[in-house]
Each structure stands twice: as structure tokens, then as C-alpha cells.
Amino acid sequence: MTILDFKNVSIDFPTSTGIVHAVTDVSLSIGEGRRIGFIGESGSGKTTTALSAMRMLASPGFVSGGEIHLHSLPESNLLKLSDEDMRNVRLSRISYIPQGAMNSLNPVMRIENQIWDGIVAHEGAMAEEELRQRSNRALESVGLDPDIVGQLYPHELSGGMKQRVCIAIGVCLDPDLIIADEPTSALDVITQRHVMQTLRDVQGKIGAGLILIGHDMGLMAQSVDEIGVLKKGELVEFGPVRQIIEDPQHPYTRELISSVPLVGGESFLDPKPATPAKGYATEDGTPLLELRSVSKTYGAVTALHPMSFSLDGEEPKIISIVGQSGSGKSTMGSLMLGFNEPSTGAVLFKGHDINRQSAPEALAFRKDVQAVFQDPYACFNPFYRVNHALKFPFERFGLSEGPAHVQQAMEDACRAVGLAPETVLGRYPHQLSGGQRQRLIVARALMLSPKLLIADEPVSMVDASLRATILKNIHDLKDQHGISIVYITHDLATAYHVSDYVMVLYKGHVVEAGPPKDVIGDPQHAYTKLLISSIPWPDLDRDWGSSEDAEAGLAELARIDGRHEMILRSTIPGFSLGVD
């Protein structure tokens, strides 16, 4: 039985410069209990198409043509319902699970009260005991303890728990259709697998249809029955998941599949130049970067246990730090950048403690050690054009030799990261895509000729098809500009391809370390093995497992929690690791 039909749907957005045709003539059906994936890059029309079924298009967008039918309603055409009737359809018949759980939950309400809100809004006032029974069932259906979680506030939950709460809210009224908008995009692979298996299980139990929106073909392969590929508002290919993955017909579909990096697969990097750029050697032979017995605690929580390493920048390298959320990766990054001071030990750059520097030394450090952050939307002042964002640090650090020199430096940096200067320099950040913004962050760092780059999850918030391009740009900084790089990520597949050395962190401990072909290609530690097995592969014959498997993975983490032995694989010249 078909639950929802899109019939020749077109969606337009009037603007001051004309009408933007966001979606054009899309037709497809979603069956009862079936899981349909909408995949494509940002701006392809995935979310716009799905949200049109809830009549939740951002103003001034509107459905300019076609019909949308929810067949469980007496009047099935959703576009003809009154506003009040459509309000009653939301959550009870069509529910929405958002991408950002933290921004979607009310920060001043307990979790159970937020579930009660939806129930009361649709079914009227009822006894508190009945409401608690309903919310308890919803939380239990997603594997959460209602006696504990129901009484908590959102900030007291982990990212994975918040996302499962959003699923519980979405299924509390047993809807006919669930729309899940990139529900795991900000989660590490272990938590991602648990959340997706939870969503699949609860969707199967209530028999609802599911629209899963995303840009990760591997996740789609492991999660849905059929895939619709959208490009620039057009449905360019639709069919069973095996057909789409194994025999794609449209060039864009093939491009999306090939953009997924695989452990052991073909590298997406350009061949190494015949004469790679030389790195930076200190005058007295001290390491470029050194951590000496560094640890970091926050109250009673130890975010990073004592560890030491030294990086010689004479031959530039990419050192990857991998692990799930909360493992201590970003804590290490903030210590190396001098944003936080270690609780014990010292961080040294060119032999000098970065937390004991004079003002001139601190200014030189800020120039020599640059950062590429996770969120490309928060790294630019929205009130300034791109050229201001690029030239300000260049001039601030005294590198300018005049306006012509600044302009040339900006243009060269843009070209180095694959951007045309004439199309980006005069624009405001909101006029650029996420991928363009992220590459401009790399360009801004490159203009300062740094000795070291700290890249903290630089591609986690951009489309899968853009990740390879941005990582190529970062890798080129090593090969063509001699810059050493610390790459912080939870994406082991990209770390496999770009790294010279990998450190796996778990709860602030290094549990396995060595070259990527050893650590990621042939993992030995139980935690590393769990990370690898949790990666969603675009291979239908490689089973991602059930929710029980995901639970077993989390149980395995609990089992190894008290044992933090380090497995040190082979070493590489110019980098040494020690754990105190």
C-alpha cells in the first residue's frame, strides 16, 4: 500500500533577482513500511522536497505545481488542507526528525515534558500518569531508560542520546510517515550506527514509511530500500538500492558513489610530486611540535590522560588523531593551539612553551600555527566580504607590501584551493556554499605561510562529494608547501588515505598508533576494530548489523573501559610517541 505520493511536484522561491526553481517535476511513491533515501549535494532539493509534504517550506518558497497525497487521510491532497488540518497532520501522521538535535530540543524543559507537549497538542489534556506511560513507551522504544532520561534536560545528554530523544518524539503518536533529515551527520560512526539501527527498528515496529535525507551513499546503502538521487532540484535517478549502488545509470549517481572513500580502496589524492616541498627545520634541531607529559582535566573529568609526542617538521607529515566524540581529540587540538593550558606538562613549539610566551612570541606563534575548524559557517564574520576576511590577518601579521601584493596573495591562495578569485573575493560568506567557505579557511591559513596546521574535523559538515576536494587541498599543503598537519577526525576512511601516522584515542588514552595501513588497514585493538566495523560501506553484501550488534558494540566499549593498554605498531621517521 502506498502511503505518500509526490505527483509532478515543483517548488519555487521568488527572489529579488528572479524565481529560483528549487524543485522541478518530481514524482515518486513511498510504500507502507518502506525506507526511501533522498540523496544529493547541498542545494539539490532533498530537504525542500521532503518538507513540502509537511507544508513547512521556508518563506517565500511555495509549491508551484503538482500534488502531494497522504492516502491515510479522507482528503488526501495535503496542499488543499486548511492550516489547522495540516497542523493536526504534523507529528500524528507525518513526523520530522531534525538534523541538529541540540538546536531542536527545548533547553529549559525536561525530556518527558517535551514528549508530553506533542501528545497533549494532538489528543488533548490527560492524566499525568497516562502521559508518563506514553512517554516511557516512546523512550523505551529507542533504547533509553525513561526513569533516568525522562527527568533530564537536553544539555545533560550525549549527542547520540539527544538524537534518539528526537526519534522518540517523532514516533510517540505512531505516524504513517517519518522524515529523517540527516539525523546522524554530526555523530561518530559508532553512535551513528546505533542511532540508525534504532530508527530502523522503531520504524519497522510501527509500520511507518521513512524518508531518509542524506549525502552519504554508504549510509544509504545500509539503511534504505530505494534511493532517489536529486541534482539541482531534479530527480535524476530512482530505484532499488542494489540497482542504484551496483548499476548506476546517471553520471551524477556514479560521481556520488565514487566520492565515498574506502579503507583499502583507491586513493583520491593526486600523485606525490617528484620533488615534494621541504618542511621547516628548527635552528637548534628541536622538534617543531612537542607534548611533554600533557594532560587535561575538567573538574573530576580527565579529558586527556598524560601523553608525550614529538613532531619533526623537517620532512612535513600528516598526523591523524581519530576516535569517537568525547575521546579527547579536540582537547588535544585546543592544547596544541594554545587555546587551553594543560593541567600537567607542557606544549612546546620550536622548543618554547606556548603558554609561557612574551607578546611578540605569541604573535609569531599565531602566524606559524594555523587552524582549520569544523564549522565553515562560524569562521567568517557575516558582515564582511571574503576579501576582508583574507587580507585582515595578512596585514595584521605584517606580511603586506602594499594593496597590489595583498590582492595577488589572495588570488594565489584562492587558486591554490581550487577557487576562482573573481567569483568569491567580492562576496559575503552567506553567498557561498559550505564547501567554498571551508576551502577559503584553508586559503586564509595558506596566505600566512604557517609551519603547522591543526585541522579539526575540517570536512565533517560538507557534502561527501566535496570532502575529497577539500582533503586534497589540505594534503597539497604538505606536498607543495611543506606544511606539517595534525588532522583531527572521526572519519577513519579519510584518515587512511591522507595520513602518514595515526593515533586512535579512546577516553583520553592512545589505544593504538602507527602508520594508517597498519592501524586502520589491519586493526589490533578492540576499539579500533569497533570503529572500522561501524563504518557504513556502499556495499550491500557487507552487513552493517542489527540494533543488537550496535548494542553489543557499546557493551564492548564498556568492557574495555577500564583497560587502556596501548598497541604501538611500527614507527615513522620524524615522529615519536610516548605515553606516561
Side-chain angles (χ1 to χ4, degrees), residues 61-95:
F62 68 100
V63 178
S64 58
E67 299 177 348
I68 305 172
H69 290 269
L70 183 65
H71 295 290
S72 61
L73 297 176
E75 168 54 68
S76 66
N77 190 345
L78 295 171
L79 302 180
K80 291 185 176 180
L81 296 181
S82 67
D83 289 344
E84 183 60 26
D85 287 341
M86 191 65 223
R87 178 180 174 275
N88 291 328
V89 166
R90 298 185 189 111
L91 190 63
S92 65
R93 299 298 183 93
I94 305 176
S95 67

Side-chain angles (χ1 to χ4, degrees), residues 13-301:
F13 283 80
T15 70
S16 58
T17 57
I19 295 177
V20 175
H21 302 293
V23 175
T24 305
D25 198 28
V26 167
S27 297
L28 58 85
S29 299
I30 299 160
E32 182 178 357
R34 301 290 288 176
R35 297 186 291 267
I36 309 297
F38 283 3
I39 192 166
E41 296 174 291
S42 299
S44 62
K46 311 182 298 295
T47 300
T48 300
T49 300
L51 289 185
S52 66
M54 300 185 74
R55 287 187 19 199
M56 288 176 59
L57 295 174
S59 179
F62 68 100
V63 178
S64 58
E67 299 177 348
I68 305 172
H69 290 269
L70 183 65
H71 295 290
S72 61
L73 297 176
E75 168 54 68
S76 66
N77 190 345
L78 295 171
L79 302 180
K80 291 185 176 180
L81 296 181
S82 67
D83 289 344
E84 183 60 26
D85 287 341
M86 191 65 223
R87 178 180 174 275
N88 291 328
V89 166
R90 298 185 189 111
L91 190 63
S92 65
R93 299 298 183 93
I94 305 176
S95 67
Y96 178 70
I97 298 170
Q99 179 175 3
M102 175 55 87
N103 298 327
S104 303
L105 297 172
N106 190 324
V108 297
M109 288 180 67
R110 298 184 193 274
I111 295 303
E112 69 174 10
N113 296 109
Q114 301 195 45
I115 300 175
W116 296 357
D117 256 6
I119 297 172
V120 171
H122 285 274
E123 299 181 8
M126 58 184 70
E128 183 174 308
E129 184 57 35
E130 185 178 352
L131 284 171
R132 181 163 285 113
Q133 290 177 0
R134 297 276 295 273
S135 64
N136 286 357
R137 281 199 300 271
L139 290 170
E140 287 171 349
S141 73
V142 297
L144 296 174
D145 185 338
D147 294 331
I148 297 174
V149 175
Q151 300 303 311
L152 298 178
Y153 292 94
H155 73 272
E156 297 176 295
L157 303 178
S158 69
M161 293 174 74
K162 282 194 282 278
Q163 201 63 61
R164 282 188 282 162
V165 166
C166 286
I167 296 173
I169 294 173
V171 302
C172 68
L173 295 179
D174 294 345
D176 302 316
L177 177 69
I178 301 168
I179 298 173
D181 189 359
E182 304 211 34
T184 63
S185 63
L187 304 177
D188 60 77
V189 289
I190 295 176
T191 309
Q192 177 188 58
R193 181 170 76 159
H194 193 208
V195 169
M196 281 308 307
Q197 299 297 9
T198 298
L199 176 58
R200 288 177 54 178
D201 282 356
V202 71
Q203 173 254 336
K205 287 175 184 175
I206 66 176
L210 172 67
I211 296 176
L212 177 63
I213 301 168
H215 58 248
D216 186 336
M217 191 63 84
L219 180 63
M220 291 294 174
Q222 299 294 337
S223 305
V224 301
D225 304 308
E226 297 168 286
I227 294 178
V229 182
L230 286 96
K231 180 182 182 182
K232 295 182 179 179
E234 296 184 6
L235 185 66
V236 297
E237 192 162 357
F238 181 74
V241 62
R242 185 171 292 276
Q243 173 193 316
I244 297 294
I245 295 293
E246 298 181 354
D247 187 28
Q249 300 300 306
H250 197 277
Y252 181 64
T253 310
R254 292 195 288 270
E255 180 185 330
L256 288 175
I257 294 171
S258 65
S259 70
V260 180
L262 301 176
V263 173
E266 183 179 349
S267 175
F268 55 80
L269 300 173
D270 296 326
K272 189 173 183 177
T275 55
K278 290 185 177 181
Y280 176 82
T282 57
E283 295 179 1
D284 56 1
T286 56
L288 179 66
L289 177 68
E290 185 177 5
L291 271 64
R292 292 182 181 173
S293 302
V294 166
S295 70
K296 183 64 179 177
T297 58
Y298 296 94
V301 177

Side-chain angles (χ1 to χ4, degrees), residues 464-505:
S465 58
L466 290 173
R467 291 177 187 172
T469 301
I470 293 170
L471 286 170
K472 281 181 186 177
N473 296 151
I474 292 175
H475 194 267
D476 286 346
L477 298 182
K478 182 193 84 162
D479 282 348
Q480 298 180 15
H481 300 277
I483 300 171
S484 291
I485 298 165
V486 177
Y487 175 43
I488 299 170
T489 184
H490 62 244
D491 187 343
L492 277 78
T494 59
Y496 176 86
H497 289 286
V498 305
S499 310
D500 297 295
Y501 194 86
V502 175
M503 291 187 287
V504 181
L505 260 65

